[in-house]
């Protein structure tokens, strides 16, 4: 027991403490966060380092890479249909399409189809890219909302306006007739013009009238001259066949005039 107590390997006696004790003492925190003084804040803000900007912005030096969006098959089909419709039509009318009952729309399409006039519905996202690169680019301001197009390979303005009057929900915005862009009022004025056959007849009549007048003026001098010559020949032939008494009277008539001249 004594050896064990001396070596320190035995159990401790009551009231005995070891010579070394490890005690963990927590250090008190004496530095708490404190707001910076106002004057120091101003000084730090003034003396803050500002890195110089590059001469060329990074946005300008690095080109933007845009991902190409491939069109689906339906969009390609609509693009092809729009191009074919514009190429095959001489009369293209752009209308504002408000809500119209389906039965009235079908009736209007049926009546227009009798005159070889067709109603086309294309989204503006399909029509506007085609118009921007074609000769119809001046029609772009008309495609701003829900539109429909009335197309025909023939110029039949009167029939189109007659059908549009029956459907007040569809208003005419403008048209391109025979490669000429017209407003709605211009289309109405164009419909009042005579047909091509009547105009051609009027032109031919005017040209023939001018030609006949020219021929009459050229022949007037020769005809008048021939009439004068005929009259002169008649007078000469009539003068040679007069009796002697009349001839003597004719010769005696200038006598007083000659006497007066002598006086």
């Amino acid at each position: 027991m004594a050896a064990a107590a001396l070596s320190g390997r035995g159990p401790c006696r009551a009231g005995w403490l070891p010579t070394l004790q490890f005690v963990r003492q927590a250090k008190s925190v004496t530095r708490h966060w404190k707001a910076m003084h106002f004057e120091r804040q101003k000084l730090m803000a003034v003396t803050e380092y500002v890195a110089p900007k590059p001469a060329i912005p990074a946005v300008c030096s690095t080109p933007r890479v845009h991902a190409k969006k491939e069109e689906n098959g339906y969009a390609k089909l609509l693009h092809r249909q729009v191009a074919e419709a514009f190429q095959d039509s001489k009369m293209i009318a752009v209308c504002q399409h408000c809500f119209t009952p389906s039965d009235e729309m079908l009736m209007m399409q049926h009546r227009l189809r009798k005159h070889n006039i067709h109603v086309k519905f294309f989204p503006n996202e399909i029509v506007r890219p085609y118009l921007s690169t074609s000769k119809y680019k001046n029609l772009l301001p008309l495609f701003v909302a829900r539109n429909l197009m009335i197309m025909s390979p023939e110029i039949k303005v009167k029939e189109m306006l007659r059908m549009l009057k029956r459907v007040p929900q569809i208003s005419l915005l403008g048209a391109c007739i025979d490669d000429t862009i017209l407003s709605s009022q211009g289309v109405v004025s164009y419909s009042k013009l005579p047909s091509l056959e009547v105009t051609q007849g009027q032109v031919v009549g005017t040209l023939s009238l001018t030609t006949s007048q020219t021929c009459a003026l050229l022949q007037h001098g020769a005809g008048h001259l021939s009439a004068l010559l005929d009259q002169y020949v008649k007078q000469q032939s009539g003068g040679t066949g007069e009796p002697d008494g009349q001839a003597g009277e004719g010769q005696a008539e200038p006598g007083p005039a000659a006497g007066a001249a002598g006086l």
Side-chain angles (χ1 to χ4, degrees), residues 63-69:
R64 297 180 180 179
V65 179
H66 299 281
K68 295 183 178 179
K69 296 182 180 179

Side-chain angles (χ1 to χ4, degrees), residues 1 13 22 28-29 34 52 61 150 170 175 212 217 220 225 241 260:
M1 291 292 293
R13 296 191 299 268
F22 296 94
S28 61
V29 179
K34 186 179 180 180
S61 60
I150 300 176
I170 299 177
S212 62
L217 290 175
H220 178 70
L225 179 60

Side-chain angles (χ1 to χ4, degrees), residues 85-98:
F86 274 89
Q87 291 174 2
D88 299 339
S89 301
K90 291 185 179 180
M91 184 184 70
I92 304 169
V94 183
C95 302
Q96 183 74 31
H97 182 208
C98 300

Side-chain angles (χ1 to χ4, degrees), residues 47-88:
T47 58
E48 185 180 1
Y49 174 74
V50 178
K53 295 182 180 180
I56 300 176
V59 179
C60 299
S61 60
T62 57
R64 297 180 180 179
V65 179
H66 299 281
K68 295 183 178 179
K69 296 182 180 179
E70 296 183 358
E71 294 182 349
N72 54 9
Y74 182 65
K76 293 180 180 179
L77 176 63
L78 290 179
H79 279 294
R80 185 165 62 251
Q81 289 180 355
V82 168
E84 292 176 357
F86 274 89
Q87 291 174 2
D88 299 339

Side-chain angles (χ1 to χ4, degrees), residues 8-58:
R9 295 180 179 178
C12 297
R13 296 191 299 268
W16 180 83
L17 295 176
T19 57
L20 296 177
Q21 292 183 358
F22 296 94
V23 180
R24 184 177 179 181
Q25 296 179 356
K27 187 177 179 181
S28 61
V29 179
T30 58
R31 296 183 64 183
H32 296 278
W33 180 84
K34 186 179 180 180
M36 191 182 299
H37 193 267
F38 180 68
E39 295 293 337
R40 188 175 180 183
Q41 290 181 7
K42 292 196 296 183
L43 181 62
M44 294 296 291
V46 172
T47 58
E48 185 180 1
Y49 174 74
V50 178
K53 295 182 180 180
I56 300 176

Side-chain angles (χ1 to χ4, degrees), residues 18 20 24 33 38 60 126 160 167 179 195 219 228 238 244:
L20 296 177
R24 184 177 179 181
W33 180 84
F38 180 68
C60 299
I126 302 297
M160 180 188 68
V167 186
D179 295 338
S195 61
Q219 295 176 359
L228 292 177
D244 296 336

Side-chain angles (χ1 to χ4, degrees), residues 182-247:
L182 302 173
S183 62
S184 57
Q185 187 62 35
V187 175
V188 175
S189 302
Y190 185 89
S191 64
K192 297 178 181 179
L193 296 176
S195 61
L196 182 60
E197 292 77 9
V198 176
T199 306
Q200 290 176 351
Q202 292 177 355
V203 172
V204 171
T206 303
L207 294 177
S208 61
L209 178 62
T210 305
T211 306
S212 62
Q213 289 179 352
T214 304
C215 294
L217 290 175
L218 292 176
Q219 295 176 359
H220 178 70
H224 186 63
L225 179 60
S226 62
L228 292 177
L229 292 175
D230 291 341
Q231 185 66 23
Y232 178 74
V233 170
K234 289 180 181 180
Q235 290 179 357
Q236 292 295 328
S237 61
T240 55
E242 289 179 353
D244 296 336
Q246 292 180 359

